[in-house]
Amino acid sequence: MPRTACVIAALALALLPAPAPAEEKKTTLVLGMVLEPPGLDPTSGAAAAIGEVTQYNIYEGLTRITAEGTLAPLLAESWTVSPDRRTYRFALRRGVRFQNGEPFTAADVKFSFARAAAPGSTNKEKAVFADIAAIDTPDPATVAITLTRADPNFLFSLGESTGVILEPKSADGDATHPIGTGPFQFESWVKGASITLAKWPGYRDAAAIGLERATFRIISDPAAQTAALLAGDVDAFPRFGALDSLKQFQGDARFTVTIGSTEGKTILAINNKRKPLDDVRVRRAIAAAIDRTAVIDGASNGMGVPIGSHYTPNDPFYIDLTGLSPYDPAKARALLAEAGVSLPLKLTLTLPPPPYARQGGQIVAAELAEIGVEARIETVEWAQWLDGVYKRKNYDLTMISHVEPRDLAIYANPDYYFQYDSAEFRAILDKVGAAADAGERGRWLEAAQRRLAEDQVNAFLYVLPQVTVAKKGVAGLWRNSPIFANDLAAVSWQ
Amino acid sequence: MSIAAALPGRAAGNPGIAIGGALTLALLLTAALSLLWTPYSPYAIDVPHRLALPSMRHWFGTDALGRDVVSMLMVGAQNSILVGVIAVSVGLLAGTALGALAAARRGWVEEAAMRLADFTFAFPAILSAIMLTALLGAGIVNSIVAIGIFNVPIFARVTRGSAKAVWQRDFVLAARAAGRAPLGITLVHVLPNILSALIVQATIQFANAILWEAALAYLGLGTQPPQPSWGRMLNDAQAQLFQAPWLALFPGVAIMLAVLGLNLLGDGLRDLYDPRMARR
């Protein structure tokens, strides 16, 4: 079995001494990443791995989401918003060029957003761009965007990898040879092994960039991740997967370990249209049967913050709603009886590959068995999950982490795979969009979180931790992961 | 028959068959015992005591969810035997029927049956099994079907080869001259004479079936959690290879001993049944 062979090879490598550190300051960096991206155009593929490689490095958007999760200007130097919150006027940064030499102008913004909203677009956030009523480009450095309805997250959405600005002539080839305005240009991609980026000398602020070359090495196996770090093959591993080996790195002077948070809302998703899961009492029973602490301990080594709704403590106007669905098997049994469900209730539990699902799912199944729910586990690969669960909605329960920030809007789509159809929730989200000031917006955002928790659309479990293991001396890596990105411009060797 | 009468005496002089027999017996006894008793439930999750070292409380330690490894291995033996027995039986019944038919009818029937067997052989069996389970869905039933199907041509070939030789023997010619139908000849004369070859092949295929089941489970295509399976235990252990190497060691050794035992037994039986060995 080749994977075993890899592990053995990695073990053998781990026993070799690490190479002696070079005398002069290093300017190359090897970053480990878990999943290989299926292409390098974040505006056409849904995989978070695309943004991990390309965002801020190759491509830039109008706005930037910072390491703290706040909003900052990037290709747009400043902007104004109309009183009805439907028209945004951006003043673009001047003198910016794409890596193929073309100048960056307002026409490129119009092209990129129109492409994302086009009928054949496969943009993950297509709905955001489909809401654009008009894009005006009065001059090359100004863009005015009018929305069909107010969207409180619009500026934030433009900062995600799905909103980056492409160059029209090269856009179709971006999946294999990405061209953007960022500080690094694409150099090579060894399929299945690594992707290498090199510093682009034509970048507007090239002197401030500390790295000459950066390689993303793809290592999905947790044991191989540990081995690669120990052997010195990888300089840093953001989103490190082998949580059980953290103690080893924390006790080793050659490494630094940081534990932050992500936007990864790990949930037990429930098919709200299937009987008897369409009954809120049954969904509440399922949620009450699950001990979040046990899941966090077993699946994430005790690291992770419990949540009670589809919202994380990093998000604005977060409220802790875990108290609405505490661990209470007796109450769960009572709720099932009240709903008239005949026991044992047989359900399927579909588990994709990550440990939070494969390990956490077995804990959930054991806990559900306690209240008389027999959850039959089906383990699937990502492709099967995307097709069977996400696209065809053929499932009862599934464990999944939603890593997109502030994505409450997925609950407003009755066709989303949760199949949650609530006019009340949609009305609340509309009020969030139309809110005149931050205070009113906050009140409606709190109402939205509470609504999801009360309707118990899914069993909301915990936020995935962001664990980074790096060699001593690597500075500038993000501790938290408000979006899935590795901002290499900020990284350097100390 | 004379060969059968001479068996016990010759078995004693064959250490392979003794070791193989003992290991196979141990496998069967472990599986039988696990039906009645295991130290802990193999499904009992105990997160606070996860990744415990082997100790008096947990002889082989606990896995990433705190489940007792000994209990999981014992129930996993059941699983391996279940898959092995059913898959080999499927192959044995269908393959022998096909092979005996080919040997009895000859002509285009034989051609068709053997070309079909060649066709199945052209694909690496494990790859085809992966394809089949990926197509039909992962699970123990589908992995039994997949492994069973690829046992059919193996038994068909062994049966046809041995049966053709028997069909040339004088007593078969006599039976044909006396007007017995081919089906009767096959059942009365041919099958008893090729039984030894089939038993040897079945033992070896049993070992292969255990190995294939472990491979499919390792890839996540076989037995689904929480039902314990040696192959999946290996896969689960891989993530903790640096922290808890014993988790990979124990199921690995279990698979090795089971396969070794059955192979030794198969080899030993072949030596016993082989007429050339009998003349020594």
Side-chain angles (χ1 to χ4, degrees), chain A residues 1 3 349-353 358 362 377-382 384, chain B residues 126 129-143 211-225 227 229-236 238:
Chain A
M1 280 158 264
R3 275 180 81 179
L349 171 57
T350 310
L351 301 180
R358 290 277 165 93
Q362 293 195 47
I377 291 174
E378 282 174 7
T379 57
V380 294
E381 295 303 312
W382 275 122
Q384 291 168 284
Chain B
I126 186 70
I130 290 170
M131 198 175 70
L132 213 61
T133 44
L135 214 67
L136 298 174
I140 187 162
V141 176
N142 289 338
S143 58
L211 214 51
W212 289 350
E213 193 278 329
L216 286 177
Y218 174 86
L219 294 169
L221 295 168
T223 319
Q224 294 293 296
Q227 174 74 30
S229 150
W230 291 349
R232 227 197 36 262
M233 287 175 78
L234 269 185
N235 187 344
D236 291 347
Q238 196 176 315

Side-chain angles (χ1 to χ4, degrees), chain A residues 22-373:
Chain A
E23 285 300 310
E24 69 217 60
K25 197 170 157 185
K26 272 179 78 174
T27 56
T28 60
L29 184 79
V30 180
L31 272 185
M33 63 187 282
V34 179
L35 293 174
E36 179 166 35
L40 290 173
D41 178 1
T43 67
S44 66
I50 305 173
E52 273 186 83
V53 176
T54 59
Q55 197 180 7
Y56 301 148
N57 301 330
I58 295 173
Y59 303 113
E60 294 173 312
L62 293 185
T63 60
R64 165 198 285 275
I65 298 167
T66 65
E68 290 74 38
T70 55
L71 207 61
L74 190 56
L75 284 177
E77 271 182 326
S78 63
W79 54 80
T80 55
V81 187
S82 67
D84 67 354
R85 308 197 71 78
R86 282 180 46 210
T87 305
Y88 293 76
R89 203 177 172 85
F90 296 94
L92 303 184
R93 196 180 282 270
R94 288 162 201 269
V96 174
R97 286 190 177 273
F98 284 97
Q99 288 151 5
N100 61 358
E102 298 290 326
F104 161 73
T105 67
D108 300 314
V109 177
K110 185 170 183 174
F111 164 81
S112 298
F113 293 173
R115 184 174 182 264
S121 158
T122 51
N123 195 304
K124 184 164 56 167
E125 301 286 335
K126 189 174 174 180
V128 170
F129 301 99
D131 270 352
I132 296 177
I135 306 177
D136 291 320
T137 54
D139 64 75
T142 308
V143 178
I145 297 175
T146 309
L147 304 181
T148 52
R149 59 194 176 94
D151 174 357
N153 276 334
F154 185 64
L155 288 170
F156 197 81
S157 297
L158 295 186
E160 292 186 61
S161 65
T162 41
V164 297
I165 306 302
L166 309 178
E167 192 275 314
K169 273 181 271 178
S170 60
D172 287 340
D174 275 340
T176 49
H177 191 106
I179 301 278
T181 54
F184 290 87
Q185 56 186 341
F186 173 75
E187 189 173 276
S188 65
W189 183 357
V190 184
K191 290 268 160 48
S194 65
I195 297 169
T196 302
L197 311 182
K199 181 169 153 181
W200 176 44
Y203 182 61
R204 53 185 183 268
D205 202 6
I209 306 301
L211 295 175
E212 288 294 328
R213 181 166 276 106
T215 300
F216 293 88
R217 185 163 297 168
I218 297 129
I219 308 173
S220 55
D221 187 89
Q225 292 171 6
T226 308
L229 275 166
L230 287 175
D233 294 347
V234 167
D235 297 317
F237 216 119
R239 302 173 191 87
F240 183 63
L243 299 184
D244 283 318
S245 62
L246 272 193
K247 270 207 190 80
Q248 187 177 352
F249 289 107
Q250 281 164 333
D252 191 328
R254 291 176 297 160
F255 298 98
T256 51
V257 175
T258 60
I259 299 167
S261 63
T262 64
E263 282 288 313
K265 295 159 282 282
T266 309
I267 60 174
L268 177 73
I270 301 173
N271 192 336
N272 280 240
K273 283 247 170 78
R274 284 258 172 104
K275 287 204 181 311
L277 301 172
D278 55 343
D279 186 331
V280 67
R281 290 170 298 190
V282 178
R283 296 198 299 269
R284 283 184 186 151
I286 288 173
I290 300 171
D291 179 7
R292 294 185 179 91
T293 325
V295 177
I296 295 172
D297 285 351
S300 278
N301 235 28
M303 288 172 279
V305 182
I307 48 170
S309 188
H310 198 91
Y311 219 57
T312 78
N314 302 335
D315 299 334
F317 305 108
Y318 166 80
I319 46 172
D320 184 354
L321 293 169
T322 48
L324 283 181
S325 50
Y327 174 51
D328 188 348
K331 187 182 138 211
R333 270 181 232 114
L335 278 166
L336 283 182
E338 197 190 314
V341 174
S342 59
L343 299 179
L345 171 61
K346 293 191 173 170
L347 299 172
T348 60
L349 171 57
T350 310
L351 301 180
Y356 66 72
R358 290 277 165 93
Q359 289 186 20
Q362 293 195 47
I363 296 173
V364 167
E367 288 178 340
L368 289 178
E370 296 285 313
I371 64 157
V373 175

Side-chain angles (χ1 to χ4, degrees), chain B residues 55-72:
Chain B
S55 65
M56 286 306 289
R57 257 187 83 190
H58 297 281
W59 300 333
F60 291 175
T62 61
D63 77 349
L65 295 176
R67 293 173 295 195
D68 181 56
V69 174
V70 177
S71 308
M72 292 176 78

Side-chain angles (χ1 to χ4, degrees), chain B residues 10-22 261 264-270 272:
Chain B
R10 276 189 287 136
N14 188 330
I17 204 168
I19 298 171
L264 283 176
L265 188 67
D267 281 354
L269 286 177
R270 182 167 53 213
L272 279 189

